[in-house]
């Protein structure tokens, strides 16, 4: 996995470093889905393809990421 987050995990607070692979996976998934969800494609209509569960997953993953980011900010403040 060629993520800078993973490469520099030793610089992160321990509670964030423990989540680094999960954060990298979340980042990859959200980035991939963001393009389709915003723009769709000829054979992909976002409002017909995504479910409420997909939205809840995206929101939960984003909230988890923000929570860890705040921990990291507070650890360095």
């Amino acid at each position: 996995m060629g993520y800078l987050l993973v490469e520099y995990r030793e610089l992160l607070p321990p509670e964030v470093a423990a989540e680094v692979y999960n954060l990298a996976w979340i980042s990859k998934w959200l980035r991939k889905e963001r393009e389709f969800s915003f723009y769709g494609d000829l054979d992909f209509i976002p409002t017909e393809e995504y479910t409420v569960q997909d939205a809840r997953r995206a929101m939960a993953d984003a909230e988890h990421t923000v929570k860890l980011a705040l921990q990291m900010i507070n650890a360095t403040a």
Side-chain angles (χ1 to χ4, degrees):
M1 197 177 280
Y3 290 97
L4 290 174
L5 189 61
V6 173
E7 186 176 338
Y8 293 101
R9 68 184 170 272
E10 71 277 352
L11 301 176
L12 301 171
E15 61 275 7
V16 177
E19 291 280 332
V20 78
Y21 289 101
N22 187 35
L23 289 170
W25 185 87
I26 289 169
S27 174
K28 182 178 181 179
W29 181 75
L30 288 175
R31 185 197 53 78
K32 179 178 74 81
E33 296 301 325
R34 180 185 61 231
E35 183 176 340
F36 279 127
S37 68
F38 281 122
Y39 306 113
D41 206 347
L42 292 176
D43 60 346
F44 188 91
I45 301 168
T47 54
E48 294 178 6
E49 297 292 333
Y50 289 109
T51 65
V52 170
Q53 291 81 13
D54 294 326
R56 287 185 179 136
R57 175 183 170 192
M59 288 174 58
D61 285 349
E63 287 172 356
H64 180 67
T65 301
V66 168
K67 182 182 114 187
L68 290 172
L70 289 173
Q71 286 179 2
M72 191 171 85
I73 291 166
N74 290 333
T76 59

